[in-house]
Structure formats: C-alpha cells, structure tokens
C-alpha cells in the first residue's frame, strides 16, 4: 500500500514538472529500503538551482526603478506573484499604506541687514509657510528656558541638543511662535526629521553651527529687525505598497481542529523588491528577490516538517516599512514559531566584495549557525558575520526572531545609483548565495522518511 502511495506521489511530482518549472526530485522510499539517499537529494537540490533563472528575473525587474507606491512597484508585485504561482504556490499580497514626504522646492531665510549667505535646509516633514517676523533667541528650546520669553508672533532661533527637534518646535509654538530656526551644535550640516506629518506645525528650517551663531550675534546687536522665512512645495503623500507572500506548508501537516493552534516551526526567506528613485535596483534588490523566487522554486517539493514563507517586502527603502508591517501583523503564536529569517539584500554584484552575514545585535544566532555550517560544507570556510541594521532583518530581530542579512561587503560603487543595472550582476555570486541558503534550509527542514 505504501509503495503505491509513493508511486502516486512521484507521478504527481514529475507530472507537475512538465507544466511548471519546479524541482523534480524523487522523494520516496520503501518500507524496507531507502531508494534515494539524503545526500543524493541534497546534491539534486543544489544542482536544480539555476543562475540563469535568477539572472532573467533581475533583467526583467530592473528595466525600471520600483519605488514603493509607484505604478512600477505594483507591476513588479504582479510579476513576483505570478512567478510564485507558476511554481505551484498560492500567494497573498499584503497591502499597506505609508506617508512619503516630498521635499520643498524653495527654502528661503532673509534678515534685514544680515549679509552672510545662509543655506537653510528643511526638516523631513517641515510644512510649507511664509512668515515675516522678528527672530528671538530661545536657547535650547526647553520649557524651562523659554518660560519667561514672549514668543507670540515671533520666529524662534534655537540650538540643537538636549531635547528632540520635534519637542523644541512644540515648546515654542505652544508659546505662539510662528516660525522656527534650529542650528547645529557641531560642525557640518545636519539632516533632521520631525518624525511625522503635523498639520498644526509652523515653517521650520535647519542651519549650520556657523550660520546659527552668526545669526545669534546679529540679532543680539540688532534687536527688533524683521526676518522673512519661506518654505514652498513641501507635501506629505499617502502611498500604497505591498508585501508578496508565498507559503510552503509542512508536508506532514496534520489537520488541526479550529480551536487548536498550529505547532510546527516556520522559516521566513525574504528580500525587499522596491528600489530607490532613479535607480533600477538590479542588485538593490532585484538580486535578493530573484534568489527568494529561485529558492521557492527549488524547495517547493522538498518533504519538510517546517513551514517556509517566501516573502518580498515593499517600502524597505522608505524605512523598512513593509517588513515592519508584516511583523506587526503576526500573531504571538507565529512569532514564537518563526525560528529563522534569512534576509537577502544586495547579493549579486560583480563589483562588491565577499559575502558577509549581518545581525542587528552583532551576535551569532540560529540563522548564522545554519549559514556557517552550510558555507563551510560548500566553500570550505564559514561565511563571516558582523553588525548591520540597514535592512529588513531588523524588523524580525526587533521582536526576538533570529534574523540575518546576506550581503556582499564592501558594497559596489553603483549602490543607489542609476548604474545599478543587470550587466553588473554576477551569476556565480547569485548561485553561491542561493546554494548556501538552500543547504541551510534543507539541513533544518528535510524529513528523510516520507509518508511513514
Ligand atoms: N540594501 C540597502 C542596505 C545596505 C546598504 C546594507 C549598504 C549594508 C550596506 C538597503 O536597501 C538600504 O538602502 N537601506 C537604507 C536604510 C533603511 C533603514 C532605509 C540605508 O542603508 O540607507
Ligand atoms: Zn536594499
């Protein structure tokens, strides 16, 4: 009886392979004899990885930039979904919204009698506005420091430090200020953010330390002079982005009744599919996306006791937004069962350095252990790891899930540039990373005796 079951399973696997390009392993044995050894299956799995597939995915995706919220991102999402589905997966597209700040085209600050040139910068989320008013020095802008000042109808000049930009602005606007200038407390210019859109805010700009100190001097010597502050063209857009999720359930999954929770482990293999503006993002990160898709293809029919979720995230470049949204919406049970997050970001450039793993806390974890065991077996030495928190693994690490980034270090000169194109992609690098991850996952998930 078992024998005929194996034949049906085998026929199903092989049959499917004629209509979809999925892995064609004979995962079967008999009750008396293991017909295909584990090491053979492992070899077959690695041999099935096809660098041309990954290269073609990158070629397709990197025809245009894929900025989160753009039409091109939505088109890429449909392509990724169709690819997963062609391998036999059912997919889920998780939609989410995020705010995107458009910088002003005009920022001006002028003061009667003050001739020194100034290059005021807007904060992220600075609002538009045009005010003419006297500038008053408000120190660091703490509640204590400004309590005896009359700021009504005035522009408050403050130094960076002690409290956040947002708090400084809130403190002075509460006392009636109509504009804000904050200058650096160290040399060089700074980029600042107010954190979020705020309709009730006033125009606010940043100056360097030199500019700010000169301005302080000038207003002390020339009190009562009127300054003009103008910000034009800033706006906050509400955009929509997507995560694409394909799930491989454990092959030996027993039906759970409605009031029972699932107990099996989960592995998340993920990469972001969005790019920055103006960059076609062949390496950042069509490369990671292409490996995620290829791993989904080759692992599809591996008999496993673990669930695998293959996910491409949107809006990583806007601040890890897609992965944060995904993690926020996980149940506690899901979080406790995710044993590893493999994050692939910038994994195919000819012009970058060697493969490195990065963890948010600079400590080894289960993903590092799996990857180092696999890389030692494949390449004779473990892939090294160090600290890094610039990609989606951080969203998983933040809730205690073992997570690591796979990236080549140092990064290529075309990072976030229009030159990040498919002609600079290395098939060997794609193959190497795909092999390390598939072996890592295989070692963790495979079950030798199918349908016992
Ligand atoms: N692929 C990069 C991450 C990266 C770049 C890691 C260089 C290590 C070295 C990613 O897409 C990115 O650009 N991340 C942002 C940070 C993120 C929090 C918005 C970055 O590094 O500026
Ligand atoms: Zn990236």
């Amino acid at each position: 009886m078992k024998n005929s079951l194996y034949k049906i399973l085998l026929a199903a696997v092989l049959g499917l392979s004629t209509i979809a390009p999925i892995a064609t392993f004979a995962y079967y044995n008999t009750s008396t004899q293991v017909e295909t050894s584990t090491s053979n299956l492992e070899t077959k799995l690695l041999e099935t990885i096809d660098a041309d597939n990954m290269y073609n995915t990158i070629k397709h995706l990197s025809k245009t930039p894929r900025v989160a919220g753009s039409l091109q991102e939505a088109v890429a999402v449909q392509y990724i979904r169709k690819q997963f589905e062609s391998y036999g997966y059912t997919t889920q597209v998780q939609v989410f919204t995020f705010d995107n700040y458009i910088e002003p085209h005009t920022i001006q600050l002028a003061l009667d009698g003050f001739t020194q040139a100034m290059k005021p910068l807007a904060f992220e989320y600075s609002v538009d506005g045009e005010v003419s008013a006297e500038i008053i020095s408000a120190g660091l802008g703490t509640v204590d420091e400004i309590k005896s000042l009359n700021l009504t109808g005035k522009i408050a000049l403050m130094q960076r430090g002690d409290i956040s930009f947002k708090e400084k602005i809130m403190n002075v606007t509460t006392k009636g200020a109509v504009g804000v200038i904050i200058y650096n407390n160290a040399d060089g210019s700074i980029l600042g953010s107010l954190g979020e859109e705020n309709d009730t805010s006033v125009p606010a700009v940043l100056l360097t330390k030199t500019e700010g100190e000169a301005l302080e001097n000038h207003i002390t010597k020339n009190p009562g002079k009127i300054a003009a502050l103008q910000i034009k063209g800033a706006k906050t857009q509400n955009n929509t982005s997507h995560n694409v999720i394909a799930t491989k359930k454990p092959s030996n999954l027993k039906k759970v009744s409605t009031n029972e929770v699932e107990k099996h482990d989960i592995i998340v293999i993920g990469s972001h599919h969005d790019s920055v503006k103006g960059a076609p993002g062949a390496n950042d990160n069509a490369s990671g996306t292409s490996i995620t898709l290829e791993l989904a293809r080759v692992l599809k029919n591996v008999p496993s006791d673990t669930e695998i979720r293959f996910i491409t995230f949107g809006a990583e470049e806007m601040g890890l937004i897609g992965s944060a949204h995904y993690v926020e919406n996980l149940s506690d049970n899901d979080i406790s069962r995710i044993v590893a997050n493999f994050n692939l970001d910038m994994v195919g450039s000819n012009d970058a350095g060697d493969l490195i793993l990065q963890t948010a806390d600079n400590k080894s974890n289960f993903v590092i252990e799996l990857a180092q065991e696999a890389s030692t077996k494949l390449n004779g030495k473990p892939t090294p790891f160090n600290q890094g928190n610039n990609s989606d693994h951080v969203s998983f690490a933040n809730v205690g899930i073992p997570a690591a980034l796979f990236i080549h270090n140092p990064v290529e000169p075309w990072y976030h540039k229009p030159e990040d194109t498919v002609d600079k992609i290395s098939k060997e690098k794609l193959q190497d990373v795909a092999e390390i991850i598939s072996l890592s996952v295989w070692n963790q998930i495979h079950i030798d005796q199918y349908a016992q």
Side-chain angles (χ1 to χ4, degrees):
M1 185 196 141
K2 268 189 183 167
N3 245 332
S4 59
L5 174 63
Y6 299 135
K7 278 180 191 149
I8 293 164
L9 283 166
L10 179 59
V13 169
L14 295 176
L16 249 181
S17 73
T18 61
I19 53 163
I22 57 163
T24 56
F25 306 112
Y27 293 115
Y28 63 101
N29 57 36
T30 69
S31 48
T32 52
Q33 178 192 8
V34 176
E35 291 186 11
T36 310
S37 76
T38 300
S39 65
N40 279 347
L41 292 176
E42 188 184 298
T43 310
K44 278 197 176 165
L45 172 70
L46 298 176
E47 280 172 4
T48 312
I49 298 168
D50 186 342
D52 287 333
N53 267 347
M54 296 184 269
Y55 190 86
N56 289 335
T57 302
I58 297 171
K59 196 168 167 185
H60 184 93
L61 285 173
S62 62
K63 283 179 189 146
T64 64
R66 302 169 303 283
V67 177
S70 69
L71 179 65
Q72 289 77 12
E73 189 226 354
V75 170
V77 161
Q78 288 313 317
Y79 174 79
I80 293 162
R81 187 173 68 87
K82 288 253 160 61
Q83 291 298 104
F84 278 134
E85 288 175 1
S86 76
Y87 308 148
Y89 288 91
T90 46
T91 56
Q92 187 203 342
V93 175
Q94 188 178 41
V95 179
F96 57 92
T97 58
F98 65 98
D99 283 344
N100 186 23
Y101 180 68
I102 309 289
E103 288 184 5
H105 49 71
T106 309
I107 308 164
Q108 274 173 349
L109 174 63
L111 173 62
D112 217 7
F114 186 69
T115 49
Q116 190 178 317
M118 288 184 286
K119 279 205 185 113
L121 298 173
F123 292 90
E124 184 188 29
Y125 295 113
S126 271
V127 295
D128 270 11
E130 205 173 340
V131 290
S132 290
E134 186 187 344
I135 301 178
I136 299 284
S137 179
L140 288 166
T142 58
V143 175
D144 226 33
E145 215 170 341
I146 64 170
K147 65 172 179 268
S148 56
L149 292 179
N150 175 12
L151 291 171
T152 308
K154 308 281 166 57
I155 296 171
L157 175 64
M158 294 173 277
Q159 195 185 34
R160 178 189 185 191
D162 274 21
I163 55 172
S164 73
F165 296 136
K166 199 174 158 180
E167 280 174 278
K168 288 177 197 280
I169 296 174
M170 214 175 61
N171 291 348
V172 295
T173 51
T174 307
K175 293 208 70 193
V178 293
V180 167
I181 304 166
I182 300 176
Y183 62 94
N184 206 350
N185 54 1
D187 289 340
S189 56
I190 30 163
L191 292 175
S193 178
L194 307 180
E196 62 193 344
E197 187 183 17
N198 183 351
D199 291 339
T200 60
S201 197
V202 299
V205 293
L206 272 158
L207 293 178
T208 62
K209 185 168 180 255
T210 320
E211 291 167 338
E213 283 173 354
L215 202 54
E216 289 275 15
N217 253 326
H218 186 84
I219 57 170
T220 318
K221 287 183 193 144
N222 308 278
K225 292 271 164 62
I226 299 296
L229 172 63
Q230 187 188 57
I231 299 182
K232 268 170 135 175
K235 57 174 181 270
T236 301
Q237 283 178 340
N238 192 254
N239 283 310
T240 301
S241 182
H242 322 76
N243 297 327
V244 189
I245 307 162
T247 307
K248 171 181 161 63
K249 286 284 182 187
S251 358
N252 59 348
L253 189 61
K254 297 189 188 72
K255 267 215 156 23
V256 287
S257 60
T258 40
N259 55 1
E260 229 183 308
V261 289
E262 290 186 313
K263 293 197 173 73
H264 56 264
D265 287 350
I266 304 167
I267 288 177
V268 175
I269 299 176
S271 54
H272 74 90
H273 59 242
D274 64 315
S275 74
V276 294
K277 197 173 154 204
N283 197 42
D284 189 10
N285 187 29
S287 68
T289 304
S290 78
I291 297 185
T292 301
L293 282 170
E294 184 63 1
L295 293 172
R297 188 182 74 83
V298 302
L299 290 165
K300 175 75 176 68
N301 290 320
V302 169
S304 81
D305 56 9
T306 301
E307 178 173 327
I308 310 179
R309 297 184 188 172
F310 302 92
I311 311 180
T312 73
F313 297 106
E316 186 269 355
E317 301 285 7
M318 306 285 178
L320 317 181
I321 297 174
S323 55
H325 178 84
Y326 177 76
V327 169
E328 267 161 34
N329 286 283
L330 288 170
S331 64
D332 288 346
N333 179 41
D334 272 5
I335 291 176
S336 69
R337 290 184 302 132
I338 301 179
V339 293
N341 164 236
F342 292 80
N343 176 29
L344 296 138
D345 193 357
M346 301 174 75
V347 275
S349 176
N350 258 319
D351 310 302
D354 290 338
L355 184 64
I356 193 160
L357 312 169
Q358 292 193 334
T359 58
D361 61 3
N362 202 18
K363 291 194 184 123
S364 182
N365 61 32
F366 189 47
V367 183
I368 303 287
E369 282 165 27
L370 288 175
Q372 292 196 328
E373 189 191 333
S375 52
T376 304
K377 190 161 177 189
L378 289 164
N379 300 332
K381 55 180 188 330
T383 308
F385 78 92
N386 65 14
Q387 197 275 336
N389 50 10
N390 290 354
S391 189
D392 289 319
H393 58 293
V394 172
S395 300
F396 289 84
N398 281 345
V399 292
I401 295 171
L405 167 67
F406 290 68
I407 189 166
H408 292 113
N409 180 63
V411 300
E412 63 280 11
W414 338 114
Y415 166 54
H416 284 182
K417 300 245 165 71
E419 294 82 12
D420 180 9
T421 47
V422 69
D423 52 298
K424 303 184 189 70
I425 292 294
S426 153
K427 289 185 187 174
E428 290 71 30
K429 279 186 167 154
L430 294 172
Q431 180 77 26
D432 177 55
V433 178
E435 285 188 9
I436 292 171
I437 299 182
S438 54
L439 185 56
S440 306
V441 172
W442 162 266
N443 283 336
Q444 175 60 18
I445 68 161
H446 75 272
I447 43 182
D448 296 339
Q449 308 274 304
Y450 192 41
Q452 295 191 83

